[in-house]
Amino acid sequence: MKRLMIVPLPWQKRIYQLQQEAPRPKRIICPREVENRPKYYGREFHGIISREQADEILAGVEGAYILRESQRQPGCYTLALRFGNQTLNYRLFYDGKHFVGEKRFESIHDLVTDGLITLYIETKASEYISKMTTNPIYEHIGYATLLREKVSRRLSRTKNESRKASVTSEENTPVEKITSLVRRAALTQNDNHFNYEKAHNFKVHTFRGPHWCEYCANFMWGLIAQGVRCSDCGLNVHKQCSKYVPNDCQPDLKRIKRVYCCDLTTLVKAHNTQRPMVVDSCIREIEARGLKSEGLYRVSGFTEHIEDVKMAFDRDGDKADISASIYPDINIIAGALKLYFRDLPIPVITYDTYSKFIEAAKISNPDERLEAIHEVLMLLPAAHYETLRYLMIHLKKVTLHEKENFMNAENLGIVFGPTLMRPPEDSTLATLNDMRYQKLIVQILIENEDVLF
């Protein structure tokens, strides 16, 4: 493994300093008791007054604010805020929290504080903000050897520990936190890493305490919802920076709460495996003792026992015991494998490729149909392609024992068609119309797995 040059993180302080300089909110209390004041507003509510009256009340006090009811639209409320020597008026809403835009606040004071910070920063540094994404640190920064080795040690344990394994922090280490950037650098250089491309799963996040964007190195300003965090790897960036982050998410095991119902690519990258361990474990068990089982994959196992297997994988990961001593009925293991595929949020044959597969199945000429299916297979995400390839090799083995198990490629297509592919829209009619083509696609994949893959 190459050693990375240690370079201090070049966090930019300009935006942070501007937030410290931003005007502080000053609540202007109404000197009289206002009738019919909404219970979620305080004494900063001045009742029905005009814009001109609000301007007079706030004149000369930067950061001052009041709430008023609109003269033109009774029952509608406005935040009047003094900033930049002028009074700004914002339509104010309440649905359990206060808001004038996307962000929602517990109190009016927090809303005004956040608004003043944003207004001040955008006024003082609009040009700077517009250029923040042009020179990112994301691809160029070096990382400390200590951090990289710390993550690499965790990776080396991945195949031997349960899915609950997490990064341990040793006492007396000079570094207390491993950022997602450092994890990404370490994982990228790990020889055993399966480099499937994966987009980040960004969600709006409220950061407690100062935080800097891990893409542009600038401060993430505001009181709440200052940026977005990847729920799979923990990368923290500005919302505007998230558009430029490459599809290189390296999921962290401690963030993956379960095996079933988890995105396929997320799961394999978190566990650093080619395929989901559920697929490998179940197929290995079925091929060891169940290939000649009559009605394999068609006969159902007991639902509660299948749920037990699911819970075992969610709890223990690749240490889950699905041996014959625990589950003598192989149909339980087959059922657990089918359930895993059904529970995927994005099917093995993805929503994006679904219609292309259906159109390919409708081609009457066998050679042209095979070529069309092969072309669509190339559009699948790498982890999905590899999982489908491995499953088809397995199902081909199942058909070789057709005399004992009575399961040929057509029968398996009936079982796995709707399991591996679902229409993007949740339409019963579309599902019924496509069922024969779903069956045909899987049947062709099984019969021609040596050619198609």
Side-chain angles (χ1 to χ4, degrees), residues 35-55:
E35 293 184 5
N36 301 320
R37 181 181 72 194
K39 61 182 180 180
Y40 40 81
Y41 294 144
R43 293 186 61 191
E44 69 275 10
F45 182 73
H46 285 243
I48 299 178
I49 61 173
S50 66
R51 287 191 173 210
E52 291 73 22
Q53 289 173 301
D55 192 46

Side-chain angles (χ1 to χ4, degrees), residues 78-223:
T78 299
L79 166 67
L81 173 65
R82 192 72 179 177
F83 178 81
N85 297 319
Q86 59 180 322
T87 299
L88 307 175
N89 291 274
Y90 299 94
R91 180 78 176 273
L92 187 60
F93 301 91
Y94 181 81
D95 63 355
K97 291 188 177 182
H98 304 278
F99 62 100
V100 297
E102 291 182 357
K103 294 184 179 182
R104 282 164 164 73
F105 299 83
E106 296 289 346
S107 69
I108 293 293
H109 184 272
D110 285 349
L111 185 154
V112 175
T113 303
D114 187 85
L116 287 169
I117 290 170
T118 301
L119 287 168
Y120 188 76
I121 289 174
E122 290 180 351
T123 299
K124 297 289 185 180
S126 59
E127 186 177 352
Y128 180 83
I129 290 172
S130 68
K131 295 179 179 178
M132 285 195 313
T133 60
T134 59
N135 188 30
I137 63 163
Y138 193 70
E139 296 295 340
H140 308 296
I141 193 167
Y143 305 99
T145 302
L146 169 65
L147 292 179
R148 195 176 66 255
E149 289 177 349
K150 195 174 182 182
V151 179
S152 296
R153 283 199 300 274
R154 175 181 160 271
L155 276 175
S156 68
R157 297 197 304 267
T158 300
K159 294 182 179 179
N160 301 316
E161 295 186 354
S162 76
R163 55 171 290 280
K164 292 183 178 179
S166 61
V167 179
T168 56
S169 58
E170 298 89 345
E171 293 183 3
N172 303 320
T173 182
V175 183
E176 296 179 355
K177 182 180 178 183
I178 301 179
T179 70
S180 56
L181 278 176
V182 175
R183 289 187 66 260
R184 184 172 63 83
L187 283 158
T188 301
Q189 296 192 35
N190 186 276
D191 293 337
N192 297 323
H193 176 60
F194 298 102
N195 194 26
Y196 294 140
E197 183 177 279
K198 179 188 173 333
H200 290 271
N201 185 16
F202 286 122
K203 294 180 180 178
V204 175
H205 189 78
T206 294
F207 298 94
R208 304 301 177 191
H211 271 72
W212 273 258
C213 174
E214 295 179 57
Y215 182 79
C216 71
N218 283 286
F219 182 66
M220 302 170 78
W221 65 89
L223 279 192

Side-chain angles (χ1 to χ4, degrees), residues 17 22 112 188 245 366 430 453:
Q17 290 168 345
V112 175
T188 301
V245 176
F453 296 96

